[in-house]
Structures are given as structure tokens and as C-alpha cells.
Amino acid sequence: LTEHESGTDQHTKTCPSCAEQIQAEALVCRFCGYDYKTQGMPGSSSTSTSGLAIASMVLGILWIWWIGSVLAVIFGHVALNQIKQSDGARGGRGMAIAGLVLGYIGVATLILFVLVPLLAL
Ligand SMILES: [Zn+2]
């Protein structure tokens, strides 16, 4: 705690985008427009698609002997939680749901076409 010993600059913070000193209560940087709510520049990163949502949908389509289906269900749930917690900063909710649905259909066919015939034997 060697810097600011005088204690006069307690109400400013350094902008992570442009490194200018701005008001500590500021939600948007007055120099560059950096948005503290979405933690990014305006417009560009407000809806970055969740990578897990994309992975979930792709795996749901790929199926790969039900490995993709099971992973699609897991990734879909994780992606939906991630999107919910990001408070609008993350997109891809539709893709995560698509991945979940495809995954559950895959798991359902696994039960219908593999487990049921095995149990019926
Ligand atoms: Zn800035």
C-alpha cells in the first residue's frame, strides 16, 4: 500500500480499456465508452455467443454413437447456466436449447433401441 499515500484519489478507478482515470461510480468510461456492466466495448461484445452452446448443438447433430448426445445434454445445461448468469452478455440460448433437445432425443433412442431390446431378451 505505497501508492496514493496522500489519499486524495479514492474516488477514481483506472479504465481497463483505455487506462484513463475515471469516477469510481462510473458505469461507462467517459473517454472510450467502455461498459462496466457488460465488461466490454459498446456494441461489439454485448452478445458474444456461448462456445458451449455451439458445442452442445454440434454434438447433438453429430450424435457419434450417443457420445455426442450425452455431451450435448451436459454442455447444453452448462451453457444455459452460463448464459443465465451472464445477465444478457452471452448469447446462444436458442442453440443451447437445440443441443439439449437433440441430446435428449439421442438419449431417448439409446433407451428405446438399445436398453429396451436388451431387457426384453
Ligand atoms: Zn476508457
Side-chain angles (χ1 to χ4, degrees), residues 15 17-19 29 31-34:
C15 174
S17 181
C18 66
C29 174
F31 295 99
C32 68
Y34 177 88

Side-chain angles (χ1 to χ4, degrees), residues 5-119:
E5 294 250 45
S6 55
T8 50
D9 278 352
Q10 291 301 306
H11 298 291
T12 60
K13 60 185 173 185
T14 307
C15 174
S17 181
C18 66
E20 290 283 356
Q21 290 291 312
I22 58 170
Q23 295 295 308
E25 288 84 10
L27 295 174
V28 176
C29 174
R30 68 189 166 101
F31 295 99
C32 68
Y34 177 88
D35 195 331
Y36 278 88
K37 271 184 185 169
T38 58
Q39 301 204 325
M41 298 302 287
S44 60
S45 65
S46 57
T47 49
S48 68
T49 306
S50 166
L52 279 170
I54 298 165
S56 172
M57 193 179 69
V58 170
L59 285 165
I61 294 164
L62 285 178
W63 171 68
I64 352 174
W65 290 98
W66 295 288
I67 296 164
S69 303
V70 172
L71 289 174
V73 169
I74 296 164
F75 286 175
H77 277 294
V78 176
L80 278 181
N81 274 330
Q82 208 179 54
I83 291 159
K84 202 160 71 180
Q85 283 168 8
S86 73
D87 202 26
R90 280 289 176 91
R93 208 181 117 83
M95 277 192 275
I97 291 165
L100 265 180
V101 170
L102 288 166
Y104 276 125
I105 290 168
V107 172
T109 60
L110 174 70
I111 293 163
L112 276 173
F113 295 110
V114 178
L115 294 181
V116 171
L118 277 175
L119 291 170

